[in-house]
Amino acid sequence: MSATVNGNGNGNGSVTAPAGVKLPIYMDNHATTQLDPRVLEAMMPYLTTIYGNAASRNHQFGWVAEQAVETAREQIAKLIGASAKEIIFTSGATESDNLAIKGVAEMYRERGNHIITQVTEHKAILDTCKRLEKAGYRVTYLPVKADGLVDLEDLKRAIDDKTILVTIMFANNEIGVVQPVAEIGKICRERNVIFHTDAVQAVGKIPVDVNKMNIDLLSLSGHKLYGPKGVGALYVRRRNPRVQISEQINGGGHERGMRSGTLNVPGIVGLGRACEIAGEEMEAESKRLIALRDKLKHKLEGSLDYIHVNGSMEHRLPGSLNMSFVYVEGESLLMGINDVAVSSGSACTSATLEPSYVLKALGLGDDVAHSSIRFGLGRFNSEAEVDYVADKVIDVVQKLRELSPLYEMVKEGIDISKIEWQAH
Amino acid sequence: MAYSDKVIDHYNNPRNVGQLDKASSEVGTGLVGAPECGDVMRLQIRVNPETQVIEEAKFKTFGCGSAIASSSLATEWVKGRTVDEALKIQNTDIVKELSLPPVKIHCSVLAEDAIRAAIGDWKKKNGVAEGAEVAQPTAR
């Protein structure tokens, strides 16, 4: 018996790309997205002829730039149900997360020192919380259930009279699971605790309304919704109740003192336009992506055994699918489908050699976490691409399973969980 | 990560994939690694009882491309050698041949372990004095 695994370079394996499908295919839209040409078009004047500093109050170069910034502020606010004055521009979601958490921690230190978050947050949240722990704050990291969702009862129990902030993401970047944000917001409001959500993966993909959902602080980023990199925003509630944050960057007092630094006008214009497009197209686009994602899932499930979806299917972003292909190691799978850009939860793809902490938090064994692939469908993916990717993945998984001693053992009826492996 | 051409070649055209009869006295089986670590290698050899030459070698590997390439290469290298010669193969030779980066050195270590484990199993079956033994998984 022998196995041949194709996929070196240009998709020259037994599965070939149909006409009209251009390789490589980008299907990693949780990592970043392609700049929409309409966004670039909106940005171009501000990268060329309109170069004023939005903080220049004394001449029309400044006024024009400021006007563009204010238009963008309106566009962003509209997408999340906020008012324009509640939008603070930053360099991206990592900065927004840092500003929100450290800003609240510092501002409300007198009131309490307890922060609640959960284990599958992005590192921008987790590492910021760890830093605050070193500074004397207490942080509770809520577990998640097997479907990736936090248990609201756990949250209620965790809140005490010293709790000043709950920070729980809207949608997860690895598994696409959408948290019960409105319920979390309600609990926080009832208990008079500030609620921050890292909504980077959600904004522009699914409906977000800061008032209906009782969100007090919200982080978003341009490059996750077909806008430019290096620009993001933090929503800071001004009314019912007013939320205050301590600034983390000092300087010229831009953004009402909350974030000094000359505004990135072209980036901000791009972010605004990206939000506008996302708002207009969300309903139709999310239907299209759900159909494509489900097609991908059904095709894979129709041809392969021992595969499963990680995280809730019901509470999930439209374009998101994270699947484990058990008995196949994730990096070797990526190598076989290297004309398709996706991500793996495998340790081998990271510098740390540790498999994804998010998948482990769902209770997945390391072996299954090593076998996971994250598909991130986006605005520029077509049905023909989905068909090609499904066929390619099926082909490579089948070939790698012919190579897999684990798959062979399982097929022979051996329970590999009963084997005492020698960890190395 | 960029792979060397040799790793890609072994991944695309793995040599000596398969299984030998575990029960045969001429066959030694090495099963090393662990699923939770992301790689498991099974390397088998069939040894000529007269000459002690490894006449056949087969492998199956669950692991990254470098792990697949390391074990594929190991089967190529052991074939035609006596068991004593095969024991001289070192992981550093595999690293060099495949141009493995530092983060993938453990793949070569595992391939060396697999060779030693297979030879150890064959020696045990045939009552030959043990060399350096490698821990193998056992049913629990």
Side-chain angles (χ1 to χ4, degrees):
Chain A
M1 189 164 62
S2 72
T4 307
V5 180
N6 296 296
N8 173 17
N10 308 311
N12 54 351
S14 52
V15 177
T16 50
V21 170
K22 193 170 157 282
L23 299 176
I25 293 168
Y26 189 76
M27 212 171 268
D28 199 17
N29 286 284
H30 299 92
T32 193
T33 57
Q34 184 190 331
L35 189 73
D36 191 300
R38 294 169 289 180
V39 173
L40 178 63
E41 194 188 345
M43 292 171 70
M44 278 310 280
Y46 300 91
L47 289 160
T48 52
T49 53
I50 310 176
Y51 50 81
N53 187 328
S56 295
R57 293 281 154 81
N58 302 320
H59 51 67
Q60 55 180 325
F61 290 83
W63 303 333
V64 176
E66 191 193 13
Q67 186 50 52
V69 167
E70 294 316 313
T71 300
R73 224 186 278 281
E74 297 276 357
Q75 290 166 323
I76 297 157
K78 190 179 173 200
L79 183 61
I80 61 170
S83 71
K85 282 184 175 170
E86 298 175 307
I87 304 300
I88 304 297
F89 289 112
T90 66
S91 62
T94 294
E95 188 193 335
S96 297
D97 289 342
N98 272 263
L99 176 56
I101 296 171
K102 291 174 182 165
V104 165
E106 219 174 284
M107 181 61 79
Y108 295 89
R109 184 67 184 87
E110 300 285 300
R111 198 203 278 184
N113 70 339
H114 182 223
I115 295 167
I116 299 171
T117 185
Q118 55 95 21
V119 290
T120 65
E121 291 291 318
H122 191 271
K123 290 284 183 189
I125 301 288
L126 295 176
D127 287 358
T128 304
C129 287
K130 276 182 201 141
R131 171 94 181 253
L132 288 174
E133 278 186 285
K134 282 185 191 146
Y137 289 85
R138 227 169 8 102
V139 180
T140 300
Y141 300 89
L142 299 175
V144 292
K145 297 178 281 186
D147 59 5
L149 296 169
V150 290
D151 186 330
L152 296 172
E153 295 307 315
D154 285 348
L155 172 63
K156 285 180 194 165
R157 274 193 294 273
I159 296 175
D160 62 34
D161 58 357
K162 292 286 180 201
T163 309
I164 49 173
L165 176 70
V166 169
T167 174
I168 291 179
M169 68 197 335
F170 210 117
N172 186 271
N173 49 305
E174 283 192 38
I175 52 177
V177 166
V178 179
Q179 297 289 354
V181 170
E183 286 86 344
I184 294 167
K186 189 162 173 277
I187 292 166
C188 292
R189 188 57 53 84
E190 282 165 5
R191 305 288 294 270
N192 197 25
V193 175
I194 295 169
F195 174 37
H196 167 251
T197 186
D198 177 339
V200 162
Q201 299 290 343
V203 169
K205 318 285 168 60
I206 53 175
V208 173
D209 189 309
V210 291
N211 288 318
K212 280 187 196 149
M213 296 169 171
N214 289 309
I215 295 164
D216 298 316
L217 295 153
L218 177 147
S219 304
L220 63 92
S221 178
H223 75 102
K224 305 284 193 188
L225 70 162
Y226 313 98
K229 291 166 181 65
V231 64
L234 179 66
Y235 157 79
V236 184
R237 175 172 291 281
R238 271 166 68 91
R239 279 196 311 258
N240 308 318
R242 178 182 172 83
V243 172
Q244 289 179 282
I245 51 172
S246 291
E247 79 280 11
Q248 301 300 308
I249 292 176
N250 299 101
H254 306 76
E255 300 298 274
R256 284 172 292 114
M258 282 186 263
R259 203 278 194 180
S260 287
T262 297
L263 290 177
N264 168 10
V265 178
I268 288 167
V269 168
L271 174 56
R273 179 71 178 121
C275 286
E276 185 180 53
I277 295 169
E280 288 163 3
E281 299 183 351
M282 187 188 297
E283 207 182 322
E285 177 64 1
S286 64
K287 276 189 196 135
R288 188 185 78 92
L289 286 178
I290 287 169
L292 288 184
R293 176 196 75 195
D294 290 350
K295 182 173 193 193
L296 177 61
K297 175 173 176 277
H298 293 144
K299 279 192 87 161
L300 295 172
E301 286 173 343
S303 297
L304 297 170
D305 53 1
Y306 300 105
I307 68 173
H308 56 78
V309 174
N310 297 313
S312 166
M313 258 330 272
E314 189 188 345
H315 304 282
R316 176 175 291 270
L317 290 171
S320 180
L321 187 66
N322 187 310
M323 291 191 105
S324 283
F325 299 87
V326 188
Y327 315 123
V328 171
E329 195 278 327
E331 186 188 328
S332 65
L333 177 50
L334 291 190
M335 197 172 165
I337 55 168
N338 67 351
D339 50 13
V340 181
V342 291
S343 284
S344 170
S346 164
C348 289
T349 59
S350 71
T352 58
L353 292 180
E354 274 295 315
S356 154
Y357 66 93
V358 172
L359 296 177
K360 289 179 77 173
L362 304 190
L364 262 64
D366 282 8
D367 51 338
V368 181
H370 279 296
S371 305
S372 77
I373 297 287
R374 175 185 73 178
F375 301 94
L377 294 160
R379 185 178 288 169
F380 303 106
N381 289 122
S382 66
E383 186 168 2
E385 286 179 340
V386 168
D387 286 335
Y388 172 73
V389 169
D391 291 343
K392 185 92 188 184
V393 169
I394 291 164
D395 183 56
V396 175
V397 168
Q398 284 170 343
K399 285 169 177 167
L400 287 171
R401 280 182 174 168
E402 280 181 47
L403 264 181
S404 170
L406 303 177
Y407 187 70
E408 181 192 284
M409 289 158 102
V410 167
K411 282 291 184 188
E412 286 174 356
I414 297 166
D415 183 351
I416 60 169
S417 70
K418 294 272 183 337
I419 295 172
E420 200 132 351
W421 300 98
Q422 303 290 331
H424 53 284
Chain B
M1 177 172 320
Y3 299 95
S4 70
D5 290 345
K6 282 182 179 161
V7 169
I8 292 170
D9 179 44
H10 278 281
Y11 175 87
N12 284 333
N13 307 293
R15 331 289 201 256
N16 308 309
V17 175
Q19 191 176 17
L20 299 172
D21 177 14
K22 211 185 286 185
S24 161
S25 65
E26 293 178 13
V27 171
T29 300
L31 182 64
V32 296
E36 56 267 31
C37 298
D39 31 31
V40 173
M41 288 180 189
R42 187 187 63 203
L43 191 144
Q44 294 182 299
I45 51 170
R46 191 175 56 73
V47 182
N48 182 321
E50 306 290 314
T51 60
Q52 301 217 340
V53 167
I54 297 168
E55 291 185 336
E56 204 175 357
K58 293 283 184 195
F59 88 99
K60 279 200 177 190
T61 289
F62 161 83
C64 65
S66 301
I68 291 169
S70 295
S71 40
S72 171
L73 178 66
T75 60
E76 275 194 320
W77 279 1
V78 297
K79 271 209 296 196
R81 295 195 195 205
T82 64
V83 288
D84 288 336
E85 285 165 356
L87 282 171
K88 288 181 187 140
I89 295 170
Q90 295 201 324
N91 83 292
T92 46
D93 305 329
I94 296 170
V95 170
K96 213 165 158 189
E97 173 69 13
L98 297 176
S99 313
L100 296 180
V103 71
K104 295 298 183 188
I105 287 174
H106 70 276
C107 299
S108 68
V109 173
L110 206 58
E112 183 189 318
D113 285 352
I115 296 171
R116 290 173 178 276
I119 292 171
D121 181 55
W122 174 82
K123 282 186 170 175
K124 205 185 241 171
K125 275 184 185 169
N126 291 277
V128 182
E130 276 297 325
E133 220 191 313
V134 168
Q136 290 217 51
T138 48
R140 82 174 151 218

